[in-house]
Amino acid sequence: MEALLAAVAKSGDRRAFAEIYGYFAPRVKGFLMKGGASPEEAEDLAQDAMVKVLRKAKLFDPAKAAASTWIFTIARNARIDAIRKASKPALDGEDPALAPEESPRADDLCELKQEKARIVEVLADLPPEQAKVMRLHFYEDEPHSVIAERLELPLGTVKSRLRLALEKVRKELGDHK
Amino acid sequence: MSSVRHHPKTQTLADFAAGRLDEARAVVVATHLGLCADCTKAVSDFESVGGHLLETTKPVEMAHDALEKILARADVTANVIVPASPALDQPERNLPLSGFLKGSIDDVKWKRVAPGLSQSVIEAQGYRQGVLRLLKIEPGTQMPKHSHSGNELTLILRGAYEDEIGDFGVGDLADLDGEYTHTPKAKGDEPCICLIATAAPLKFKTLAGRIAQPFIGL
């Protein structure tokens, strides 16, 4: 995926983009629906996000993040933009995000793979009830009180499980590097 | 960089990474990230967790003409990029505050709200509720004792203050919840300038503070 994004960035390669789209767009849509978005909202937001992926491919820096992480941040921002548009008229302006272009380096990609494997390991190690609350933390846009209601748990329990999970993830991933 | 002693809570960093903060607090956290490598690493790690969750989400089929539409939109609007959150969107997350101020901190128009205390409210309500302001505390001035009805993030941009928690200098961030009461006092010879985001209004503990509140607008 990182190589495909690089191809999109370099020459606007549509076939490479179609592959990225085929893999990520349905996942972004599924992700948003898990967070409570209706299928229509999720479809629109996923389309918005993929337009940004295409337009901003040049800003993707494989030395800094995996393609999935980068697309996650774009989908996250697309959701925020939707809230922003709903609450006041859209602003037009220049995009401040103009990062210098960098080409992928082999050692970065290798490191990236290791880091991705590490995340899988750390998440698999979490007690299931903590992992569940943490997943909702990322999917959901709603306050933790809404998550607590949905899980039929006291708010304090949700908060403490989340805190334990987040502290552990931070420690394990932070120690690794 | 290494002089930063007070950081956002892990929970706050994870909220930032998941896009759960209001814009006011997102700006404060992003500004802190520009000054703190440790917290930047933590946010990146949480974003990687988000990426992993995205990858492992069960796919839901897109509309049959979605790809076509996306390609068409990307072409037509190639040169018009709608700004996402300036706070979240900066690749380096480098002092995103500048995007919200009309100039530098030196050009801020201060409004005096009490002896030794002035503020400037910053327009940053693009999404969700929250209030962002700059507060200038003159040397030796003490803020009225107050607590917060919600989470409050205070980042020191200039000077220093001390309160019940400890000493705060440039780059330090106080991440305070509702139950906490404090009385910050500016230290040193220069005014202390803080960037403050509140999810809800402050609650003053003293009568004088409560009387002053409507005028201060805190």
Side-chain angles (χ1 to χ4, degrees):
Chain A
M1 281 300 157
E2 284 76 21
L4 288 171
L5 267 175
V8 174
K10 205 171 166 199
S11 58
D13 186 333
R14 293 203 162 197
R15 267 186 29 211
F17 179 74
E19 240 180 281
I20 296 166
Y21 165 87
Y23 182 79
F24 277 110
R27 283 172 171 79
V28 169
K29 186 173 175 182
F31 187 97
L32 294 164
M33 282 172 67
K34 268 194 184 265
S38 72
E40 295 74 26
E41 285 169 337
E43 171 79 31
D44 286 350
L45 277 177
Q47 288 191 20
D48 289 351
M50 295 314 292
V51 169
K52 284 187 182 160
V53 167
L54 183 51
R55 286 208 302 240
K56 293 189 167 191
K58 281 197 173 68
L59 301 178
F60 172 65
D61 179 358
K64 282 193 186 140
S68 58
T69 301
W70 187 67
I71 293 175
F72 163 74
T73 62
I74 287 188
R76 171 195 69 190
N77 294 356
R79 181 158 69 179
I80 286 174
D81 282 347
I83 303 172
R84 181 190 280 275
K85 275 181 204 151
S87 57
K88 72 176 184 190
L91 297 163
D92 266 335
E94 292 301 304
D95 189 15
L98 290 172
E101 240 177 288
E102 270 179 56
S103 51
R105 294 183 294 271
D107 52 336
D108 289 334
L109 292 178
C110 178
E111 205 171 281
L112 205 63
K113 259 191 195 146
Q114 285 173 0
E115 191 153 321
K116 279 177 85 170
R118 181 78 188 136
I119 289 167
V120 175
E121 219 174 277
V122 171
L123 293 183
D125 253 11
L126 288 177
E129 68 275 10
Q130 286 180 23
K132 187 173 188 179
V133 172
M134 199 180 65
R135 274 199 299 277
L136 285 174
H137 171 82
F138 280 92
Y139 293 142
E140 276 285 354
D141 198 24
E142 299 291 337
H144 292 141
S145 56
V146 176
I147 295 177
E149 255 172 58
R150 190 161 308 162
L151 296 174
E152 296 183 347
L153 286 170
L155 179 58
T157 307
V158 167
K159 281 188 169 173
S160 63
R161 282 181 188 174
L162 180 61
R163 189 172 46 79
L164 288 171
L166 293 174
E167 295 287 0
K168 181 156 185 207
V169 166
R170 183 178 182 183
K171 182 172 182 300
E172 297 285 332
L173 293 180
D175 280 356
H176 191 60
K177 254 205 163 171
Chain B
M1 301 278 165
S2 56
S3 64
V4 177
R5 291 157 296 179
H6 301 277
H7 304 270
K9 290 175 187 152
T10 296
Q11 170 77 65
T12 303
L13 294 172
D15 281 339
F16 179 82
R20 300 179 61 98
L21 293 181
D22 50 88
E23 185 157 48
R25 283 187 297 160
V27 173
V28 178
V29 172
T31 308
H32 174 77
L33 294 183
L35 302 165
C36 180
D38 279 356
C39 291
T40 302
K41 168 78 170 83
V43 166
S44 299
D45 286 344
F46 287 132
E47 286 173 346
S48 301
V49 171
H52 173 74
L53 291 175
L54 174 62
E55 264 193 278
T56 52
T57 298
K58 203 169 154 233
V60 175
E61 208 182 331
M62 295 287 288
H64 68 280
D65 59 348
L67 178 57
E68 239 169 87
K69 278 189 184 163
I70 289 163
L71 290 170
R73 275 175 63 191
D75 271 351
V76 170
T77 52
N79 297 315
V80 189
I81 299 177
V82 178
S85 159
L88 285 160
D89 226 30
Q90 299 260 340
E92 300 301 329
R93 301 197 189 84
N94 224 346
L95 295 181
L97 177 63
S98 56
F100 286 88
L101 294 177
K102 305 282 181 268
S104 93
I105 292 182
D106 298 314
D107 305 326
V108 168
K109 288 207 169 61
W110 296 99
K111 195 177 155 197
R112 190 165 171 273
V113 290
L117 216 56
S118 35
Q119 73 162 345
S120 172
V121 175
I122 300 169
E123 185 67 37
Q125 280 183 291
Y127 54 91
R128 305 198 185 101
Q129 291 243 303
V131 180
L132 184 65
R133 62 166 56 85
L134 286 165
L135 191 71
K136 184 161 80 170
I137 316 171
E138 297 299 334
T141 303
Q142 186 154 20
M143 286 238 339
K145 194 172 192 171
H146 65 278
S147 66
H148 319 98
S149 34
N151 181 245
E152 180 194 75
L153 302 179
T154 302
L155 176 70
I156 316 302
L157 299 175
R158 299 265 174 93
Y161 78 61
E162 62 182 340
D163 70 0
E164 291 81 345
I165 302 172
D167 289 338
F168 289 78
V170 172
D172 282 330
L173 188 148
D175 185 346
L176 299 177
D177 283 328
E179 58 275 14
Y180 200 84
T181 302
H182 71 150
T183 46
K185 184 180 179 186
K187 273 176 56 174
D189 309 327
E190 62 169 330
C192 177
I193 298 180
C194 320
L195 179 67
I196 306 177
T198 31
L202 304 187
K203 286 188 288 196
F204 284 93
K205 291 289 166 183
T206 60
L207 182 62
R210 284 204 299 274
I211 292 170
Q213 183 157 26
F215 303 102
I216 301 177
L218 284 175

